[in-house]
Amino acid sequence: ITWVTGTHSSGTVTLNLDTSLNHNLTIGGNVTMASPSNADVGKTGDIVLSLTADAVVSWHANWKFLQNVPDIGKSGQLWVISYKVLDSNRILACGAKAV
C-alpha cells in the first residue's frame, strides 16, 4: 500500500487518486477537502487525518458520507475516512474517529 503524506495548516487539499488511493495527512489548521482529481469509478482507499491543532476540516459536496461526519475539531484526534468512487461527482465515504 502506498500512502501519500503531507502536512496542511490551511487552504484546500486536493487528493490525486492516480498518485495513491491511500492518504496520510497531518492537519494543523482549517482545511477544505476538495473533490479529488482522477476520481475514476470503483477506486477505493482510506484517508487518515491526524490533527496536531484544533481545526475544522470541511468536505466538498462530491463527498457523500454514509453517516453524519462532523467538522473535525480537536488536537490529538485521529480520523480514518474510507471511500469508494461511485462516479466523478460522487465519492461514497464513511469515517471513524480514534481519540
Side-chain angles (χ1 to χ4, degrees):
I1 297 176
T2 301
W3 291 87
V4 170
T5 61
T7 300
H8 304 276
S9 58
S10 66
T12 300
V13 178
T14 302
L15 302 177
N16 183 342
L17 300 188
D18 272 354
T19 301
S20 176
L21 301 179
N22 299 294
H23 301 270
N24 187 5
L25 307 174
T26 302
I27 305 297
N30 297 344
V31 299
T32 298
M33 299 300 293
S35 181
S37 60
N38 299 306
D40 299 325
V41 174
K43 288 184 177 179
T44 61
D46 295 313
I47 303 166
V48 177
L49 303 176
S50 304
L51 273 69
T52 60
D54 290 356
V56 174
V57 178
S58 303
W59 297 87
H60 185 276
N62 285 6
W63 294 94
K64 310 294 185 188
F65 283 92
L66 288 173
Q67 66 221 34
N68 184 24
V69 174
D71 290 337
I72 299 167
K74 296 297 179 187
S75 179
Q77 288 181 340
L78 179 69
W79 287 74
V80 179
I81 309 296
S82 296
Y83 68 87
K84 179 173 184 173
V85 178
L86 301 179
D87 59 44
S88 61
N89 295 310
R90 296 180 303 154
I91 299 104
L92 184 62
C94 62
K97 174 180 73 170
V99 288

